[in-house]
């Protein structure tokens, strides 16, 4: 009788529980066929089996998300209530009027802050924005924008946002451009202007006598501006509901005009110690803003920033988007005017992290999947607007285990090229599909996989044949010639050619030094226009003039050695604000010049057939090098 009762109860439990169990199992992401040694446990946990050890996914979470920090603002009789949807969250909000009409808009912070209690904060407008503290007369106008910074209980800055309002009490929250507008993909006849609003809304952009419209209400706005004249200054106005923002930009010259211009270059902006804006939600806001301001002050027409923009390595897209929003906020007042082109670094990866390996005590990490939505590559494409002229992915290569389905992360908007006048800029992803542990499927730091290398070959050939292009720069995050913390990685690995990707449990044929040599052969020996590699993973500024006599190999290297046909340059500027890396031993270390700690802005000036370099400390303006002739 008891047995019958237990069976009946068990059957009833199964009837209730099994649909939920089946639903949970079906919700598990499909393990890509390029990954071996991964399974799901009976409880649904992702498990990595390595050397007989089962290592469970730690299921890490980001402390904050971008959606939370935007704050779901709601107006009331006193001001604006921010709700971060995070019970138990305590901290502080500094806030004040946002000077939206300024050429370079910023927040004029009030002398007092407000507390965050149980994840909510009230921005008092009626009692605080008045008299001497109402510099922009918002109380009289009955409308404006309030900017705010969120600080946690340790006083670390988490996010800077803004919200538009109308009224004199009660207050009404209005649709707000909370990020941007940004100038992207600049050409001689137009650009792409992008921005974010906190609620879906249809917007327009007027430029000259043209109006460009959103096709439908959305929070992400990306409008292609066309039909403009080369080298012309334009005012553009973004209009949304009853509000509008106005800024300026200048179109590029016609390709091959060979007129003088300067572009800026700085990487590795991730947060560091020192307090305040040195670690602004994962990025060094202070140095990043100083670098971008100095770039504009010195007439730069675009900024190239190839990787380590934030601390990164996040376990979620929303956590990483929050950090990207903070980096973009640092550059935003100047990005209204000139484009910024970003590239992926090793900190742009989103990681799944497993329990420590009992042998090494280290945590294996892999690029998060599903790759279409959770990978670092997908998040990067979500955060930035870049040309879509790169390769698709590594699918279809000789090591692809299943050519019938998409198994690799995307290259879209993280591998691309663009041109300005007579310069071709190629942006590579040297941190693609990165695995952060030996022997685990994925690609090591610094490796350019086959499909990307094939695309690079075709792009180099295309630019080489283009009569409008005189100079080619190849942007890599991992240095071809590292100098500091990455001498045991990048494209060197202390001379160990054994490093290479592992796909579905099998190592690919070409090692890291062999691929480096193929890269050098393509760019140097097979191209007359290639001038320099621009890298940023080493947190320093370092200038290297590479010649056919530069030592490039470890002692007793057993494989054929590449003979360089001509000299070229390798410029590392990881001076964006991260903690500095000292010089370590490499065969080429004695040839580095102008070796300097962050923050550094590098400016490359092009005037027809001539190219020169200068660099200086972005916060003190101390000279590092000046008028160094590259060509």
């Amino acid at each position: 009788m008891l047995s019958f009762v237990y069976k009946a109860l068990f059957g009833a439990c199964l009837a209730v529980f099994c649909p939920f169990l089946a639903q949970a199992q079906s919700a598990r992401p499909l393990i890509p066929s390029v990954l071996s040694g991964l399974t799901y446990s009976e409880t649904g946990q992702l498990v990595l089996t390595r050397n007989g050890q089962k290592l469970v996914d730690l299921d890490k979470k980001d402390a904050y998300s971008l959606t939370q920090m935007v704050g779901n603002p709601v107006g009331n009789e006193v001001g604006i209530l921010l709700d971060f949807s995070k019970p138990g969250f305590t901290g502080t909000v500094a806030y004040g009027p946002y000077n939206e009409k300024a050429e370079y808009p910023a927040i004029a912070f009030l002398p007092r802050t407000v507390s965050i209690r149980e994840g909510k904060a009230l921005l008092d407008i009626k009692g605080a924005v008045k008299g001497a503290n109402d510099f922009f007369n918002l109380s009289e106008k009955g409308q404006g924008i309030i900017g705010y910074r969120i600080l946690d209980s340790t006083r670390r800055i988490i996010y800077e946002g803004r919200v538009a309002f109308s009224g004199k009490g009660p207050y009404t929250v209005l649709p707000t451009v909370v990020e941007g507008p940004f100038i992207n993909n600049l050409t001689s006849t137009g650009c792409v202007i992008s921005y974010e609003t906190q609620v879906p809304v249809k917007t327009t952009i007027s430029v000259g006598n043209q109006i460009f419209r959103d096709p439908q209400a959305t929070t992400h706005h990306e409008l292609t501006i066309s039909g403009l004249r080369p080298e012309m200054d334009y005012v553009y106005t973004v209009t949304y509901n009853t509000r509008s923002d106005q800024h300026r930009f200048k179109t590029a010259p016609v390709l091959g005009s060979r007129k003088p211009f300067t572009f800026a270059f700085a990487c590795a902006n991730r947060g560091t110690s020192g307090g305040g804006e040195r670690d602004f939600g994962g990025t060094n806001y202070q140095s990043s803003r100083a670098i971008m301001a100095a770039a504009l002050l010195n007439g730069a027409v675009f900024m190239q920033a190839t990787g380590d923009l934030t601390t990164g390595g996040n376990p979620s897209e929303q956590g990483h988007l929050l950090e990207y929003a903070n980096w973009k906020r640092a550059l935003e007042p100047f990005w209204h005017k000139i484009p910024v082109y970003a590239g992926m670094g090793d900190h742009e990866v989103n990681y799944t992290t497993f329990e420590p390996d009992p042998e090494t005590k280290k945590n294996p990490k892999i690029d998060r999947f599903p790759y279409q939505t959770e990978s670092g590559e997908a998040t990067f494409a979500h955060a930035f607007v870049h040309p879509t002229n790169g390769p698709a992915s590594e699918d279809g290569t000789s090591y692809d285990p299943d050519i019938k389905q998409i198994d690799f992360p995307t290259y879209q908007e993280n591998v691309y090229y663009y041109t300005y006048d007579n310069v071709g800029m190629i942006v590579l992803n040297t941190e693609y599909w990165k695995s952060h542990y030996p022997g685990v499927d994925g690609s090591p730091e610094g490796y350019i996989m086959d499909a990307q290398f094939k695309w690079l070959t075709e792009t180099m050939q295309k630019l080489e044949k283009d009569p409008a292009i005189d100079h080619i720069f190849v942007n890599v995050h991992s240095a071809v010639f590292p100098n500091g913390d990455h001498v045991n990685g990048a494209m060197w690995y202390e001379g160990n050619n054994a490093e290479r990707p592992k796909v579905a449990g099998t190592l690919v044929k070409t090692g890291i030094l062999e691929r480096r040599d193929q890269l050098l052969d393509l760019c140097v020996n097979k191209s007359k226009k290639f001038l320099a590699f621009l890298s940023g993973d080493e947190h320093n500024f370092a200038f290297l003039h590479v010649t056919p006599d530069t030592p490039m190999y470890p002692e007793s290297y057993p494989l054929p050695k590449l003979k360089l046909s001509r000299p070229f340059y390798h410029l590392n500027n990881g001076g964006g604000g991260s903690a500095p890396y000292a010089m370590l031993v490499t065969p080429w270390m004695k040839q580095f010049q102008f070796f300097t700690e962050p923050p550094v802005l590098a400016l490359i000036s092009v005037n027809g057939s001539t190219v020169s370099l200068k660099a200086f400390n972005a916060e003190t303006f101390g000279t590092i090098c000046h008028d160094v002739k590259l060509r």
Side-chain angles (χ1 to χ4, degrees), residues 151-162:
L151 293 80
D152 68 12
S153 58
T154 69
R155 304 291 291 179
R156 178 176 182 255
I157 303 170
I158 305 301
Y159 174 70
E160 178 178 297
R162 56 180 178 256

PDB file of all heavy atoms in Angstrom, residues 151-162:
ATOM      1  N   LEU A 151      27.164  56.362  -8.054  1.00  0.00           N
ATOM      2  CA  LEU A 151      28.317  55.850  -7.307  1.00  0.00           C
ATOM      3  C   LEU A 151      27.820  54.781  -6.343  1.00  0.00           C
ATOM      4  O   LEU A 151      26.777  54.948  -5.690  1.00  0.00           O
ATOM      5  CB  LEU A 151      29.008  56.964  -6.516  1.00  0.00           C
ATOM      6  CG  LEU A 151      29.716  58.081  -7.303  1.00  0.00           C
ATOM      7  CD1 LEU A 151      28.719  59.117  -7.812  1.00  0.00           C
ATOM      8  CD2 LEU A 151      30.760  58.762  -6.443  1.00  0.00           C
ATOM      9  N   ASP A 152      28.548  53.675  -6.247  1.00  0.00           N
ATOM     10  CA  ASP A 152      28.126  52.619  -5.323  1.00  0.00           C
ATOM     11  C   ASP A 152      28.523  52.985  -3.893  1.00  0.00           C
ATOM     12  O   ASP A 152      29.030  54.082  -3.624  1.00  0.00           O
ATOM     13  CB  ASP A 152      28.662  51.261  -5.760  1.00  0.00           C
ATOM     14  CG  ASP A 152      30.176  51.124  -5.639  1.00  0.00           C
ATOM     15  OD1 ASP A 152      30.816  51.986  -5.001  1.00  0.00           O
ATOM     16  OD2 ASP A 152      30.718  50.150  -6.180  1.00  0.00           O
ATOM     17  N   SER A 153      28.329  52.061  -2.972  1.00  0.00           N
ATOM     18  CA  SER A 153      28.573  52.349  -1.557  1.00  0.00           C
ATOM     19  C   SER A 153      30.048  52.564  -1.240  1.00  0.00           C
ATOM     20  O   SER A 153      30.385  53.100  -0.186  1.00  0.00           O
ATOM     21  CB  SER A 153      28.018  51.219  -0.686  1.00  0.00           C
ATOM     22  OG  SER A 153      28.612  49.973  -1.049  1.00  0.00           O
ATOM     23  N   THR A 154      30.951  52.157  -2.152  1.00  0.00           N
ATOM     24  CA  THR A 154      32.388  52.388  -1.957  1.00  0.00           C
ATOM     25  C   THR A 154      32.848  53.661  -2.655  1.00  0.00           C
ATOM     26  O   THR A 154      34.040  53.949  -2.693  1.00  0.00           O
ATOM     27  CB  THR A 154      33.208  51.191  -2.488  1.00  0.00           C
ATOM     28  OG1 THR A 154      33.127  51.143  -3.918  1.00  0.00           O
ATOM     29  CG2 THR A 154      32.716  49.885  -1.895  1.00  0.00           C
ATOM     30  N   ARG A 155      31.904  54.396  -3.262  1.00  0.00           N
ATOM     31  CA  ARG A 155      32.150  55.639  -3.995  1.00  0.00           C
ATOM     32  C   ARG A 155      32.769  55.394  -5.375  1.00  0.00           C
ATOM     33  O   ARG A 155      33.282  56.327  -6.001  1.00  0.00           O
ATOM     34  CB  ARG A 155      33.044  56.609  -3.202  1.00  0.00           C
ATOM     35  CG  ARG A 155      32.524  56.971  -1.828  1.00  0.00           C
ATOM     36  CD  ARG A 155      31.275  57.823  -1.892  1.00  0.00           C
ATOM     37  NE  ARG A 155      31.548  59.175  -2.404  1.00  0.00           N
ATOM     38  CZ  ARG A 155      30.608  60.105  -2.573  1.00  0.00           C
ATOM     39  NH1 ARG A 155      29.348  59.828  -2.293  1.00  0.00           N
ATOM     40  NH2 ARG A 155      30.929  61.303  -3.041  1.00  0.00           N
ATOM     41  N   ARG A 156      32.722  54.181  -5.876  1.00  0.00           N
ATOM     42  CA  ARG A 156      33.186  53.908  -7.238  1.00  0.00           C
ATOM     43  C   ARG A 156      32.096  54.340  -8.212  1.00  0.00           C
ATOM     44  O   ARG A 156      30.922  54.019  -8.025  1.00  0.00           O
ATOM     45  CB  ARG A 156      33.497  52.429  -7.424  1.00  0.00           C
ATOM     46  CG  ARG A 156      33.949  52.055  -8.838  1.00  0.00           C
ATOM     47  CD  ARG A 156      34.331  50.576  -8.919  1.00  0.00           C
ATOM     48  NE  ARG A 156      34.796  50.221 -10.249  1.00  0.00           N
ATOM     49  CZ  ARG A 156      34.092  49.522 -11.147  1.00  0.00           C
ATOM     50  NH1 ARG A 156      32.861  49.109 -10.848  1.00  0.00           N
ATOM     51  NH2 ARG A 156      34.602  49.227 -12.322  1.00  0.00           N
ATOM     52  N   ILE A 157      32.484  55.055  -9.254  1.00  0.00           N
ATOM     53  CA  ILE A 157      31.519  55.512 -10.256  1.00  0.00           C
ATOM     54  C   ILE A 157      31.092  54.328 -11.112  1.00  0.00           C
ATOM     55  O   ILE A 157      31.928  53.576 -11.629  1.00  0.00           O
ATOM     56  CB  ILE A 157      32.125  56.608 -11.143  1.00  0.00           C
ATOM     57  CG1 ILE A 157      32.607  57.793 -10.287  1.00  0.00           C
ATOM     58  CG2 ILE A 157      31.094  57.099 -12.155  1.00  0.00           C
ATOM     59  CD1 ILE A 157      33.437  58.806 -11.049  1.00  0.00           C
ATOM     60  N   ILE A 158      29.786  54.162 -11.269  1.00  0.00           N
ATOM     61  CA  ILE A 158      29.229  53.042 -12.031  1.00  0.00           C
ATOM     62  C   ILE A 158      28.756  53.466 -13.412  1.00  0.00           C
ATOM     63  O   ILE A 158      28.938  52.745 -14.394  1.00  0.00           O
ATOM     64  CB  ILE A 158      28.059  52.390 -11.263  1.00  0.00           C
ATOM     65  CG1 ILE A 158      28.497  51.972  -9.854  1.00  0.00           C
ATOM     66  CG2 ILE A 158      27.516  51.185 -12.034  1.00  0.00           C
ATOM     67  CD1 ILE A 158      29.652  50.992  -9.828  1.00  0.00           C
ATOM     68  N   TYR A 159      28.168  54.667 -13.515  1.00  0.00           N
ATOM     69  CA  TYR A 159      27.556  55.068 -14.789  1.00  0.00           C
ATOM     70  C   TYR A 159      27.224  56.555 -14.741  1.00  0.00           C
ATOM     71  O   TYR A 159      26.968  57.115 -13.669  1.00  0.00           O
ATOM     72  CB  TYR A 159      26.283  54.257 -15.027  1.00  0.00           C
ATOM     73  CG  TYR A 159      25.466  54.662 -16.237  1.00  0.00           C
ATOM     74  CD1 TYR A 159      25.933  54.415 -17.526  1.00  0.00           C
ATOM     75  CD2 TYR A 159      24.225  55.281 -16.097  1.00  0.00           C
ATOM     76  CE1 TYR A 159      25.183  54.782 -18.638  1.00  0.00           C
ATOM     77  CE2 TYR A 159      23.468  55.643 -17.206  1.00  0.00           C
ATOM     78  CZ  TYR A 159      23.958  55.398 -18.478  1.00  0.00           C
ATOM     79  OH  TYR A 159      23.211  55.762 -19.570  1.00  0.00           O
ATOM     80  N   GLU A 160      27.234  57.183 -15.915  1.00  0.00           N
ATOM     81  CA  GLU A 160      26.755  58.554 -16.057  1.00  0.00           C
ATOM     82  C   GLU A 160      25.619  58.567 -17.064  1.00  0.00           C
ATOM     83  O   GLU A 160      25.776  58.093 -18.199  1.00  0.00           O
ATOM     84  CB  GLU A 160      27.884  59.475 -16.529  1.00  0.00           C
ATOM     85  CG  GLU A 160      27.447  60.920 -16.739  1.00  0.00           C
ATOM     86  CD  GLU A 160      28.604  61.808 -17.168  1.00  0.00           C
ATOM     87  OE1 GLU A 160      29.550  61.953 -16.385  1.00  0.00           O
ATOM     88  OE2 GLU A 160      28.553  62.340 -18.301  1.00  0.00           O
ATOM     89  N   GLY A 161      24.479  59.104 -16.653  1.00  0.00           N
ATOM     90  CA  GLY A 161      23.327  59.154 -17.545  1.00  0.00           C
ATOM     91  C   GLY A 161      22.728  60.538 -17.605  1.00  0.00           C
ATOM     92  O   GLY A 161      23.236  61.491 -17.014  1.00  0.00           O
ATOM     93  N   ARG A 162      21.605  60.658 -18.310  1.00  0.00           N
ATOM     94  CA  ARG A 162      20.895  61.927 -18.381  1.00  0.00           C
ATOM     95  C   ARG A 162      19.428  61.673 -18.721  1.00  0.00           C
ATOM     96  O   ARG A 162      19.077  60.641 -19.313  1.00  0.00           O
ATOM     97  CB  ARG A 162      21.546  62.858 -19.404  1.00  0.00           C
ATOM     98  CG  ARG A 162      21.698  62.330 -20.812  1.00  0.00           C
ATOM     99  CD  ARG A 162      22.357  63.378 -21.708  1.00  0.00           C
ATOM    100  NE  ARG A 162      22.566  62.896 -23.052  1.00  0.00           N
ATOM    101  CZ  ARG A 162      23.739  62.505 -23.552  1.00  0.00           C
ATOM    102  NH1 ARG A 162      24.818  62.537 -22.794  1.00  0.00           N
ATOM    103  NH2 ARG A 162      23.839  62.089 -24.811  1.00  0.00           N
TER     104      ARG A 162
END
